[in-house]
Amino acid sequence: MGPRRAHPHSGPVEVLDLARTQGASPPQAQPNEGLSMLRFMASRLLTVVPMLLILTVIVFLLVEIAPGDPAAIIAGADASPEAIEAVRQRLGLDQSVFQQYVSYVWNALQGDLGTSFATNEPVTDVIARRLPRTLSIGLFAMLMVVILSIPLGILAAVKRDSLYDRLLTGTSVFLLAVPPFVLAAILVKWFALDGLQIFPPTGYAPMSDGMGEWLMYATLPAIAIATISLAELARQARGAMIDALEQDYIRTARAKGLSKMKLVSKHAAKNAAVPYITVLGLNVGRVVGAAVIIEAIFNIQGFGQLGVTAVINRDIPTMQGVVLVSGVIVLLVTLLVDISYGYLNPRIRNT
C-alpha cells in the first residue's frame, strides 16, 4: 500500500511536513516560484494605478462640491471683484475643469499639494509635520493588537469551549460595544487624573525627546485606538485557527502523533493567517478614523485633527491633502495585504 496522499486543500507547507512525517522525500521547490511571485506582485501593483486615479478625481472634486468660492475665501471678505478674479487666475480656477485636474495631478506627483488657506503654508509641509504623530500612535496601537490578539485567539481555539474561551468571547463582545472616545475618557480619568496618575492626560512628545517620554504620551491614545481592533482580531484569530484545525490534513497529522504545539505552529498557523491578515488590513481604516476623535480628546495636534481643523476653516487644499494621503495609506495597506495572500497561499498567485 502506497503512502497516503495529502488532502487536495492542503498547501505546500502542509504537504512538505506530512511528507517528512511519512518518511517520503519532500517535493522539490519549483524553479519558477520566485518568478510567479514577482508576476503576482506586478499584477497587484497595476491594479493600484486605476484606484489612485479614482482617488485623485474624488479629491479634486472636493473643490467643486465645497461651499463657497476658493478665490473669495483667499482674497478675504472685503475684497473687490477684481481682486477675487486675480486670485482665481493665480490659482488657475479660470481654466477648464479638465485642465485644473491635470494640473492638480501633475503638481501632486511632484509633492505640491497646494497652499493652506488658513496658514499660508505648503500643505505638504503641514502634513509632514502632523502625520508622524498619528502614524507613530497608530502603528503602536496596531503593534499592540497583533502581539496580543494572535496568542489570545490561538489559545482560545486550542482550548475551545473552555472557561477561557467563553471569557475571551464575552470580553470581546463587550469591548466591541464600547466606543473609543468613551474608553479614552475612562483611561484619562483612571490613569491620568483621578486614579493612578501614571500618564499625562493630554499632549504629545516626539520620539526625538526619548522613547520613554514618547511612550508616556502615546500609551493611553494607542490603547483607546487599539481596543476594538484587538477584540475583533482576537475573535478572528480564534475562528481562523478553529477552521484550520478541523481540516483533514490536520487530523492526519494528529493521528500520526504530532504534538498540539507542532500542529498549530507548523501546520495550521499559515493557513489561518490569510483571513486574519484580511481583517487586520481592514482595521487600518478604523485606526485612521478613530485618530480623529482620540486626538481631540488627548489634545494631540496630529493628522486627524488637521483634517477636522481644515473642515472647520474651509481650508480646501488641506482637506484635499488629508483625504489624498489617507486614501494612499489605505491603498498601500491593501496592496501589502494582497501581496501577503500570494506569499501565504501559492495557489492564489498561480491563478
Side-chain angles (χ1 to χ4, degrees), residues 254-278:
R254 185 184 292 114
K256 299 186 74 66
L258 289 184
S259 65
K260 189 172 293 186
M261 180 65 70
K262 287 185 177 180
L263 284 174
V264 171
S265 61
K266 296 183 64 177
H267 293 275
K270 196 169 185 179
N271 283 352
V274 173
Y276 178 88
I277 291 177
T278 301

Side-chain angles (χ1 to χ4, degrees), residues 226-297:
T227 302
I228 291 182
S229 296
L230 173 60
E232 182 178 358
L233 283 161
R235 286 167 56 87
Q236 180 61 47
R238 173 189 177 276
M241 183 57 65
I242 288 175
D243 290 341
L245 291 174
E246 290 178 346
Q247 297 296 319
D248 288 346
Y249 68 88
I250 294 293
R251 295 193 184 99
T252 301
R254 185 184 292 114
K256 299 186 74 66
L258 289 184
S259 65
K260 189 172 293 186
M261 180 65 70
K262 287 185 177 180
L263 284 174
V264 171
S265 61
K266 296 183 64 177
H267 293 275
K270 196 169 185 179
N271 283 352
V274 173
Y276 178 88
I277 291 177
T278 301
V279 179
L280 180 65
L282 293 175
N283 272 266
V284 172
R286 174 179 288 165
V287 169
V288 174
V292 175
I293 301 175
I294 298 304
E295 288 179 355
I297 294 175

